[in-house]
Amino acid sequence: MRQLVEKGKIRAGVIAGEMVVSEDEVRNQAVIRKEDLPEYKKHAHLHGIPIGFTEASDKYGINLSSLQRWFKKGIIAEVKRERTIGGEKIYLNEADVAYCAEIYHSRGGKGKWLFDKNGLPYKPKTGPLAM
């Protein structure tokens, strides 16, 4: 709590030597996970189902390099790895891929920031998606 106050994320006061904060401000700082979003919940039935990069790219119409970037950032989770003759094959969590595809296609795809560091849809400070 003290760190949020020091970073200016929530306001606090001191009463009788004790730090006090508004419950509403603390509630507003609650961490939202991508799994809690309606866009993700639509695809929850796919959770844990393995899908390869190429198959995911073809099935969801997403550039392979975008999938790789989201995987490296941790937005798409790995389900398993298999050894192959040429090395290893990584299987992705299909629910994560489907969620990313939905955001990708709804926001116009290429050349745009789509996700923040927590894997949530990026909210620009200006423009039609600003809040």
Side-chain angles (χ1 to χ4, degrees):
M1 190 75 63
R2 187 173 303 277
Q3 289 176 344
L4 291 173
V5 172
E6 290 170 357
K7 291 179 180 179
K9 300 277 184 185
I10 59 174
R11 293 175 291 168
V14 178
I15 298 177
E18 296 290 324
M19 181 176 71
V20 293
V21 296
S22 164
E23 285 184 39
D24 290 335
E25 288 203 33
V26 173
R27 224 176 269 119
N28 290 339
Q29 289 299 319
V31 177
I32 298 172
R33 303 173 318 133
K34 70 180 181 198
E35 292 84 0
D36 298 330
L37 298 175
E39 296 93 342
Y40 192 92
K41 288 181 179 181
K42 285 196 314 194
H43 308 290
H45 64 284
L46 299 171
H47 183 73
I49 296 176
I51 186 168
F53 278 94
T54 304
E55 182 186 359
S57 177
D58 293 342
K59 183 174 181 178
Y60 291 98
I62 299 175
N63 188 307
L64 192 57
S65 63
S66 294
L67 288 172
Q68 291 168 332
R69 185 173 50 257
W70 298 334
F71 172 70
K72 287 179 184 174
K73 289 184 175 186
I75 298 167
I76 297 176
E78 178 181 319
V79 174
K80 68 177 182 175
R81 286 182 190 237
E82 284 182 354
R83 289 185 180 229
T84 64
I85 294 172
E88 282 187 322
K89 181 169 181 175
I90 298 172
Y91 291 90
L92 308 171
N93 182 353
E94 189 167 359
D96 290 346
V97 174
Y99 159 75
C100 289
E102 181 163 331
I103 301 301
Y104 175 85
H105 293 298
S106 71
R107 300 279 178 102
K110 293 182 180 181
K112 296 185 170 46
W113 283 94
L114 295 179
F115 303 103
D116 67 14
K117 64 182 179 179
N118 298 318
L120 300 173
Y122 176 73
K123 292 184 178 132
K125 297 193 186 335
T126 60
L129 297 174
M131 295 189 100

